Amino acid sequence: MLTTLNTAYTDTRAADLAWVLGREPLPALATLDIELPDAKLQLRLLGASHQVLLEEERGSCSETVACIAGSSTPLPLGVAKRVGDWEYEFAARVETLSHGSFAGRAQELLALVADHPNGLAGVFPGSPHAFTAMLAQRHEGQVHWRTWHAYPQDGQLVATRTRVGVRIPAAAQCV
């Protein structure tokens, strides 16, 4: 799903993004509810950021990547944590692209997400290349999502990927 976000695009920067696990739902500009086998997922666009809410029988998980007032924790390159019965893995990278490469990559990503049943993208007024996009799926019993945050004024694209799955007890891994 592709939507135009009803908010002004402000000069945020990739360096201002922070990562938080377990945060309560924040006000969203656009949402997409997804029913996956044995899981409910809500993708949420929060201005120049995102939040994902995951609910399964074993519990819930919330991931937020946003410009959070008062946060001094930068966006990590990687995180691996146990969350209840789950293994949670997060990775992020920042790409700096030339103006032409940025425009092409932006169009490619928006086309990928726009027509996908588990995709949500929001474009900011004033720039077709200022967007946040999200794509989710369930694969081999794990929930995966990817996000892209575009900052055309700096030619930067922040890409994240997350995997959440049930922990496999050590004894079961050796069988």
Side-chain angles (χ1 to χ4, degrees), residues 36-38 56 137-144 163-168:
L36 298 171
D38 302 319
E56 282 189 339
Q137 68 177 354
R138 187 169 189 102
H139 180 68
E140 296 182 356
Q142 299 177 337
V143 179
H144 301 255
R163 180 193 63 80
V164 179
V166 176
R167 273 196 343 231
I168 301 170

Side-chain angles (χ1 to χ4, degrees), residues 3 14 21 62 84 103 109 124 139 158 163:
T3 186
L21 194 59
S62 165
L109 289 168
F124 293 90
H139 180 68
V158 178
R163 180 193 63 80

Side-chain angles (χ1 to χ4, degrees), residues 14 36 42 48 68 72 88 94 126 140 151 157 168:
L36 298 171
Q42 185 177 67
I68 300 169
S72 60
Y88 171 92
V94 178
E140 296 182 356
Y151 300 95
L157 183 66
I168 301 170

Side-chain angles (χ1 to χ4, degrees), residues 6-66:
N6 189 17
T7 188
Y9 182 72
T10 57
D11 290 331
T12 56
R13 301 175 311 129
D16 293 337
L17 288 174
W19 167 87
V20 178
L21 194 59
R23 185 146 189 167
E24 71 284 346
L26 297 170
L29 298 173
T31 63
L32 179 64
D33 292 313
I34 301 170
E35 295 280 335
L36 298 171
D38 302 319
K40 291 181 182 179
L41 198 63
Q42 185 177 67
L43 305 180
R44 304 169 59 82
L45 296 178
L46 315 172
S49 54
H50 82 263
Q51 187 172 51
V52 177
L53 307 177
L54 170 64
E55 287 186 36
E56 282 189 339
E57 183 179 291
R58 290 179 169 85
S60 62
C61 179
S62 165
E63 172 189 281
T64 306
V65 171

Side-chain angles (χ1 to χ4, degrees), residues 17 43-45 48-52 63-65 75 90-93 95 105 109 113 120 131-136 144-150 157-162:
L17 288 174
L43 305 180
R44 304 169 59 82
L45 296 178
S49 54
H50 82 263
Q51 187 172 51
V52 177
E63 172 189 281
T64 306
V65 171
L75 188 65
F90 172 86
R93 65 180 162 65
E95 294 178 66
R105 184 75 172 130
L109 289 168
V113 175
L120 175 63
F131 68 91
T132 300
M134 310 170 74
L135 191 61
H144 301 255
W145 59 86
R146 297 186 65 190
T147 73
W148 299 271
H149 303 253
L157 183 66
V158 178
T160 74
R161 62 179 167 77
T162 301

